[in-house]
Amino acid sequence: MVKRIAVIGAGSSGLAAIKCCLDEGLEPLCFESSDDIGGLWRFRDEPQAERCSIYYSLTVNTSKEMMCFSDFPAPDHFPNYMHNSLIMQYFKLYAEHFDLIKHIRFQSTVRSVSQRPDFSVSGQWDVVTTDSDGREEHHVFDGVLVCAGHYTQPIKPLSDFPGIDAFPGKLFHSWQYKNPGAFVGKRVVVVGIGNSGGDIAVELSRTFLSTRRGAWVVGRTVDKGLPLDMMRISRVGGLINRLLPRPLINWIGERSLNQRHDHKLYGLQPKRRIFDHRPVINDDLPGRILVGDLVMKSNLQKFRASTVCFDDGTTEDDIDAVILCTGYDYRFPFLPHSLHSGDDGDLKLYKRVFPPSLQHPTLAIIGLLQTRGPIMPVAELQGRWATRVIAGLNHLPPPAKMLQIIERHIAANLKRYPWPKLAALQVDYIPYLDSLAQEVGACPSIPRLLLTDPVLGCRVYFGPCTPYQFRLRGPGVWQGARQAIFTQWERVAKPMKTRPLPEASSFGWRGRAPKYPPPEECLCIRSSEESSSCEVLQQKTTVNTALGGTSGLTCIKCCLDEGLEPVCFESSDDIGGLWKFKENTDPNEASIYNSLIINTSKEMMCFSDFPIPSHFPNYMHNSLIMDYFRMYAEHFQLKHYIRFQTKVLQVTPRPDFPHSGQWDVETESKDGQRERAVFDAVMVATGHHCHPHLPLKDFPGIDTFKGNFFHSRDYKNPEDWRGKRVVVIGIGNSGGDIAVELSRMAKQVYLSTRKGSWILHRVGDNGIPSDMIFNNRALHGVLRLLPVGYRNKIGENRLNKRFNHKLYGLQPAHR
């Protein structure tokens, strides 16, 4: 008679469990309390009690080749790190391919799971469920697989923060956070620096990130831009880690991370060594610190109304919201209380799967663990083992032996994780996978592979430990596993092959570099490069009394330094020029978007006799640049010489110009009054980002386009493009900024470029500003001695070391 198995939850673990049951000839029935599959990865606009909840922008931290089901690779065109909506698509493809949906009963909540009166003989379970109408139903099953997840019970340590009751702002757990829209312009404190805390703090920006211990921060990509887990999780890497002393491994890992950004300098350095605790995976967090959008703070100590006090004695006033990213507890209230080992709801589990106290091993917990690697392959192997045990094909050790192994495991982990409940959850990724696979009979034999199929053996041993390795042999063997391993790097590259690449130019080390047209300088949405129409004035002007913003201020100062009498005409009502953000900009004025941050560091960009305040971030937001300009103008009393809201209409040489060198300047005030004045010299500081270039004739059919198209000059913020499909044309600095910003809101962003571009980060070695490293006389002196081709080679190698421009579809034709 076929055994009936109850599967609780239709998330990633539940789907795998259903398939494992079918593979072993069992009859699964899955109870899912919601109306769809996906579990944790299903986004909802509002959180629902007792269910997982994620934010709209959540992208997985493990790459598709490492996290996929072992006999069902993710589609090759899917990105390497998938947004939650794409993970849902993948689950639906998996469920459809293996016909799993018919085994799922949606909107059915499990209320209790209890042993039947004859459990000692039958090993069966009574399962009570309720449907969406509250109707109760009783079932009998031969086995139970609990796949309910452990991110449903948010931890809110409110008692740790005296004065929290008097806090007038919003206070909630990250479980409730959905998107940054409600926090625009607000002052927010994020408490906790796990993956969620890092993501939310980066997404909100202009945020304070409070942490008790700090964290090691790792990006999703490493060498040449390849996925972190595919480069770092391998069998040979695991062997090296076991052979080398742990302090040495920690030193190597920490040195590697600090070469990207010095954790001490950035206020991130934790007390624990890198391999003694889980790192935070975040691509943007150090960059947000560098530009001042995110400020690191020590542990939150207490509240005084809207003021937040920290352990180091500092305070932040007028805080609007506090988001607690303080983790989750797990609880399975439907399970028998006898399975829990204490009041904290802890479950002692043999190999993180089976409660050792059961007389018959017919109940298993799937996915209740933490590891330095993707969870899905682990949960799938747990399901394969559990179903074989329930089916009677595998057997467990005696209870006493299992308890001994559990206690030994917890004792070993307590050195790194002092909380026993947390220590019990930790497993070492590859050793744990191999131990489960050995139980199943699916662990790859490296010696045998090296003898019988040496190319495959080398890829299994030296390459990434992808899930396909556990389908090469034994029960559940998949004939496509070998081919999947051989083509895994092709699937990594596939989603980035979206642009035909030009052949890189080549010339001898001593040859002269060929001349190329300049790269695209500015990006736009539905249009292209930005250029200037100020050529006539630039050709006609020489030196002295000024017009303008940034350049205008320094021109006024230079005039005063030389004993000249400046008069500055400024068409707007304030200083700043390009850097003054406006929601609505006049046609002939420069315009910027709200999020614009300068690409040069404060020490390199400041006026030569007026350093930028030391507490300002190294790369400043446009609002801080405006603050700096105002300080400069006030310090040197420059505003006395500026006539605001006065437009220059015409600058012409006087009739006696050959003798006097003087100019007639005609201006118009905001009231329409015109005035002529005579000046001995003119300085033009009007900038060259006023007149957008819209090459509409280059795009046949644009007049029939039904969507919006406009120049980047008219772009202000991404909120209007939430859920939209957007094309950004041109890969200058503005285009790069806008495409990245939109990608967090839009459904899909396409970045179209004619020439490609070399991408340089603001952050150089050890997290120091790039321009402060590379703009020095000694380096330039050395580079001038080298042939042009060799200089290009050095620069390109440095950039490609961070990420391969050819792989990413960015490589331009020019050097």
Side-chain angles (χ1 to χ4, degrees):
M1 185 175 176
V2 177
K3 290 187 176 182
R4 298 180 70 241
I5 308 298
V7 178
I8 303 174
S12 59
S13 300
L15 292 175
I18 297 170
K19 181 176 179 297
C20 292
C21 288
L22 296 172
D23 289 345
E24 297 300 337
L26 305 173
E27 183 184 324
L29 179 58
C30 176
F31 298 105
E32 169 55 48
S33 61
S34 73
D35 59 359
D36 201 359
I37 63 174
L40 169 70
W41 293 102
R42 186 185 173 202
F43 173 77
R44 301 177 183 86
D45 288 320
E46 295 293 334
Q48 299 177 0
E50 303 297 324
R51 290 183 185 159
C52 301
S53 176
I54 60 173
Y55 35 97
Y56 177 80
S57 62
L58 182 61
T59 297
V60 71
N61 282 331
T62 51
S63 66
K64 65 177 183 181
E65 291 299 307
M66 297 293 290
M67 68 167 279
C68 67
F69 297 114
S70 58
D71 54 357
F72 194 76
D76 58 0
H77 65 280
F78 275 32
N80 286 286
Y81 290 96
M82 297 184 284
H83 183 259
N84 60 81
S85 59
L86 286 177
I87 294 176
M88 282 295 295
Q89 286 186 38
Y90 173 61
F91 289 162
K92 288 173 180 174
L93 292 171
Y94 180 75
E96 180 182 353
H97 182 78
F98 293 109
D99 199 17
L100 305 181
I101 298 295
K102 67 182 183 183
H103 301 283
I104 304 173
R105 189 175 292 184
F106 292 106
Q107 295 186 314
S108 292
T109 303
V110 174
R111 297 301 179 189
S112 70
V113 175
S114 57
Q115 297 166 341
R116 298 211 75 207
D118 64 345
F119 182 81
S120 60
V121 177
S122 66
Q124 291 182 325
W125 298 84
D126 282 323
V127 177
V128 179
T129 63
T130 56
D131 61 18
S132 57
D133 298 322
R135 288 191 294 265
E136 191 171 275
E137 190 173 352
H138 293 256
H139 314 262
V140 176
F141 289 100
D142 298 293
V144 177
L145 299 176
V146 179
C147 308
H150 57 285
Y151 294 103
T152 57
Q153 309 295 326
I155 297 173
K156 298 179 181 179
L158 303 185
S159 60
D160 292 351
F161 308 123
I164 199 168
D165 294 338
F167 177 62
K170 292 182 178 180
L171 176 88
F172 58 94
H173 194 274
S174 57
W175 180 81
Q176 297 169 265
Y177 174 82
K178 292 299 174 182
N179 64 66
F183 304 96
V184 175
K186 306 291 186 182
R187 288 167 59 84
V188 181
V189 174
V190 175
V191 180
I193 195 173
N195 287 327
S196 296
D199 284 351
I200 293 171
V202 164
E203 184 169 69
L204 291 177
S205 291
R206 319 296 289 179
T207 310
F208 304 97
L209 178 54
S210 169
T211 172
R212 206 168 24 179
R213 301 188 184 99
W216 295 104
V217 179
V218 186
R220 287 184 177 90
T221 60
V222 286
D223 312 327
K224 300 184 178 180
L226 296 172
L228 167 72
D229 48 6
M230 290 195 73
M231 297 299 292
R232 295 292 184 261
I233 300 177
S234 67
R235 296 180 180 278
V236 67
L239 175 64
I240 293 171
N241 287 342
R242 289 193 297 273
L243 292 177
L244 294 178
R246 194 168 192 86
L248 177 59
I249 295 170
N250 280 320
W251 179 81
I252 292 171
E254 291 166 11
R255 185 173 181 274
S256 175
L257 290 186
N258 282 327
Q259 282 180 336
R260 278 213 162 186
H261 45 265
D262 187 326
H263 282 61
K264 189 173 183 179
L265 176 66
Y266 278 64
L268 290 165
Q269 184 165 304
K271 298 174 182 177
R272 298 185 183 180
R273 307 300 300 270
I274 185 171
F275 290 110
D276 293 341
H277 203 68
R278 295 176 69 193
V280 171
I281 299 179
N282 195 293
D283 300 310
D284 304 317
L285 196 147
R288 294 293 94 192
I289 295 172
L290 190 67
V291 302
D293 278 352
L294 194 159
V295 178
M296 294 301 302
K297 303 296 290 187
S298 63
N299 186 45
L300 196 156
Q301 184 185 62
K302 62 183 178 180
F303 289 82
R304 289 203 307 260
S306 62
T307 297
V308 174
C309 307
F310 300 94
D311 275 351
D312 59 1
T314 61
T315 60
E316 293 295 340
D317 300 326
D318 302 321
I319 296 300
D320 299 295
V322 174
I323 303 176
L324 301 175
C325 301
T326 44
Y328 294 85
D329 198 1
Y330 62 84
R331 190 171 70 235
F332 304 115
F334 50 82
L335 290 181
H337 185 71
S338 59
L339 295 182
H340 299 90
S341 61
D343 295 334
D344 61 354
D346 187 22
L347 282 170
K348 281 194 164 102
L349 300 173
Y350 174 61
K351 292 196 175 183
R352 299 306 311 153
V353 178
F354 288 104
S357 58
L358 291 176
Q359 192 171 354
H360 293 280
T362 53
L363 181 141
I365 312 293
I366 307 299
L368 184 59
L369 75 156
Q370 292 182 351
T371 186
R372 286 172 173 260
I375 295 295
M376 281 171 51
V378 179
E380 184 188 27
L381 262 175
Q382 286 181 327
R384 290 171 68 183
W385 178 41
T387 51
R388 289 183 62 80
V389 170
I390 293 172
L393 300 173
N394 285 67
H395 303 281
L396 301 183
K401 179 69 172 176
M402 288 191 283
L403 281 170
Q404 184 182 1
I405 292 172
I406 292 170
E407 295 301 332
R408 191 163 60 236
H409 170 78
I410 294 174
N413 284 336
L414 279 173
K415 298 173 184 176
R416 292 181 287 167
Y417 304 92
W419 187 27
K421 190 173 181 179
L422 183 62
L425 292 175
Q426 310 305 314
V427 298
D428 292 327
Y429 186 69
I430 295 180
Y432 182 70
L433 282 174
D434 282 347
S435 72
L436 294 176
Q438 285 167 0
E439 298 284 355
V440 174
C443 188
S445 170
I446 303 301
R448 181 182 297 175
L449 283 175
L450 290 173
L451 288 172
T452 60
D453 194 342
V455 177
L456 176 62
C458 287
R459 297 203 178 198
V460 168
Y461 189 67
F462 294 100
C465 185
T466 45
Y468 321 121
Q469 295 187 8
F470 302 101
R471 292 285 181 177
L472 290 170
R473 60 186 288 264
V477 65
W478 175 44
Q479 297 305 318
R482 184 179 188 276
Q483 181 63 17
I485 293 171
F486 274 83
T487 56
Q488 57 197 10
W489 286 109
E490 294 175 19
R491 288 189 296 279
V492 169
K494 173 72 174 182
M496 293 185 278
K497 292 183 176 179
T498 55
R499 169 181 169 251
L501 296 179
E503 289 296 326
S505 302
S506 60
F507 42 86
W509 297 125
R510 301 185 181 277
R512 295 183 60 188
K515 293 185 178 180
Y516 294 99
E520 294 155 269
E521 294 178 353
C522 245
L523 300 188
C524 44
I525 299 176
R526 309 291 192 215
S527 56
S528 189
E529 305 167 356
E530 188 176 286
S531 63
S532 169
S533 300
C534 299
E535 296 172 2
V536 176
L537 279 179
Q538 289 174 356
Q539 291 170 359
K540 291 181 179 177
T541 57
T542 50
V543 197
N544 206 320
T545 306
L547 304 135
T550 315
S551 302
L553 291 175
T554 194
C555 286
I556 298 170
K557 167 81 166 42
C558 291
C559 288
L560 295 173
D561 288 346
E562 297 300 332
L564 305 174
E565 183 182 337
V567 178
C568 176
F569 300 106
E570 170 55 49
S571 60
S572 73
D573 58 357
D574 199 0
I575 62 174
L578 169 69
W579 293 102
K580 183 183 179 186
F581 172 75
K582 292 181 181 178
E583 289 287 352
N584 299 297
T585 310
D586 293 337
N588 293 321
E589 289 183 350
S591 174
I592 59 173
Y593 35 97
N594 185 44
S595 62
L596 181 62
I597 291 170
I598 196 163
N599 284 328
T600 50
S601 66
K602 65 178 183 181
E603 293 301 314
M604 298 296 290
M605 66 160 278
C606 65
F607 297 116
S608 58
D609 54 357
F610 194 75
I612 293 172
S614 59
H615 66 279
F616 275 34
N618 285 283
Y619 291 95
M620 297 185 290
H621 183 260
N622 59 81
S623 60
L624 288 177
I625 295 175
M626 286 295 296
D627 288 348
Y628 172 62
F629 290 162
R630 291 187 181 108
M631 293 175 189
Y632 180 75
E634 181 180 354
H635 183 78
F636 293 108
Q637 298 184 344
L638 304 183
K639 283 193 175 182
H640 299 302
Y641 304 94
I642 304 175
R643 292 187 189 177
F644 292 107
Q645 296 184 314
T646 302
K647 185 185 300 182
V648 174
L649 300 178
Q650 192 174 26
V651 177
T652 56
R654 301 208 74 208
D656 63 345
F657 182 81
H659 302 291
S660 66
Q662 291 182 325
W663 298 82
D664 282 325
V665 177
E666 184 178 0
T667 60
E668 183 180 57
S669 69
K670 66 174 181 177
D671 300 326
Q673 295 181 349
R674 296 196 175 193
E675 184 179 345
R676 275 186 174 271
V678 178
F679 291 97
D680 297 298
V682 175
M683 287 180 169
V684 179
T686 53
H688 57 285
H689 294 286
C690 302
H691 303 283
H693 175 50
L694 288 168
L696 302 186
K697 66 180 185 302
D698 293 348
F699 308 120
I702 197 169
D703 53 330
T704 64
F705 177 62
K706 296 180 181 178
N708 294 311
F709 65 87
F710 54 94
H711 192 273
S712 57
R713 181 185 182 278
D714 298 318
Y715 173 82
K716 295 299 177 181
N717 63 69
E719 196 62 40
D720 295 337
W721 310 104
R722 182 182 295 277
K724 307 290 187 182
R725 287 160 58 88
V726 182
V727 175
V728 177
I729 301 177
I731 196 171
N733 288 327
S734 298
D737 284 351
I738 292 170
V740 168
E741 184 171 65
L742 284 175
S743 69
R744 300 187 180 108
M745 294 280 185
K747 182 177 181 180
Q748 182 66 60
V749 178
Y750 303 92
L751 179 55
S752 171
T753 171
R754 215 172 15 176
K755 301 164 186 159
S757 181
W758 295 104
I759 307 296
L760 178 66
H761 284 252
R762 291 185 178 100
V763 185
D765 300 335
N766 302 313
I768 303 296
S770 292
D771 53 1
M772 293 193 71
I773 293 174
F774 297 115
N775 291 322
N776 69 74
R777 296 180 188 279
L779 178 61
H780 280 254
V782 171
L783 290 177
R784 279 198 297 268
L785 298 175
L786 299 175
V788 173
Y790 193 61
R791 293 205 303 262
N792 281 324
K793 191 69 174 177
I794 292 173
E796 291 166 9
N797 283 343
R798 280 191 67 92
L799 294 183
N800 280 326
K801 188 175 181 181
R802 186 157 262 199
F803 59 86
N804 187 321
H805 282 61
K806 186 173 183 179
L807 176 65
Y808 277 64
L810 289 163
Q811 183 169 299
H814 58 275
R815 303 302 300 273

